[in-house]
Amino acid sequence: QVQLVESGGGSVQGGGSLRLSCAASGPVFRIDVMGWYRQAPGKQREMVAAITSGGTRNYADSVKGRFTISRADAKNTVDLQMNSLNPEDTAVYYCYVKLWTIGIIWAKDYWGPGTQVTVSS
């Protein structure tokens, strides 16, 4: 069973930084897209950043220039460096991975349990 384990959330003052990490474990064969989504209270889940297997990165307009996504395929990990945080970044952040497991011919989507990020003004 594939599992995604997130770490690095917490509380920080505005202008501060946090780094989120996510590791995929289990029968992982190959990983396609890795990314981070977030959901603030009363709002829909939104894509924050994503990175393809080829290294193409996409960011939400609201985080461009402040957040950086990276991945390490040898460790099946994806990180999100978040700088210049502001209260609008407060949300639960979810790791997302699209991957193939050993013995399965189609890729599936997997989600982490979420990690809280709180930014105070």
Side-chain angles (χ1 to χ4, degrees), residues 41-68:
K43 294 187 177 181
Q44 287 190 330
R45 189 175 296 190
E46 62 175 355
M47 192 276 288
V48 176
I51 182 169
T52 69
S53 57
T56 299
R57 295 170 171 84
N58 287 299
Y59 296 96
D61 288 342
S62 60
V63 307
K64 283 180 181 177
R66 301 188 298 122
F67 291 10
T68 302

Side-chain angles (χ1 to χ4, degrees), residues 72-86:
D73 288 344
K75 296 186 290 185
N76 293 339
T77 59
V78 59
D79 292 346
L80 185 68
Q81 177 65 42
M82 305 185 293
N83 299 328
S84 301
L85 285 161
N86 58 61

Side-chain angles (χ1 to χ4, degrees), residues 1-49:
Q1 184 80 350
V2 172
Q3 285 189 319
L4 301 184
V5 178
E6 300 147 339
S7 60
S11 298
V12 66
Q13 283 196 326
S17 299
L18 284 173
R19 187 177 183 88
L20 304 181
S21 295
C22 173
S25 63
V28 176
F29 176 65
R30 186 163 69 92
I31 296 177
D32 187 5
V33 179
M34 306 183 85
W36 291 91
Y37 284 66
R38 68 185 180 187
Q39 187 166 18
K43 294 187 177 181
Q44 287 190 330
R45 189 175 296 190
E46 62 175 355
M47 192 276 288
V48 176

Side-chain angles (χ1 to χ4, degrees), residues 6-7 19-20 43 58 60 85 89 94 99 101 104-106 113 118:
E6 300 147 339
S7 60
R19 187 177 183 88
L20 304 181
K43 294 187 177 181
N58 287 299
L85 285 161
D89 296 314
Y94 297 91
L99 61 82
T101 54
I104 303 297
I105 62 172
W106 58 85
T118 303

Side-chain angles (χ1 to χ4, degrees), residues 107-118:
K108 289 179 62 178
D109 298 335
Y110 293 87
W111 293 88
T115 184
Q116 177 70 46
V117 171
T118 303

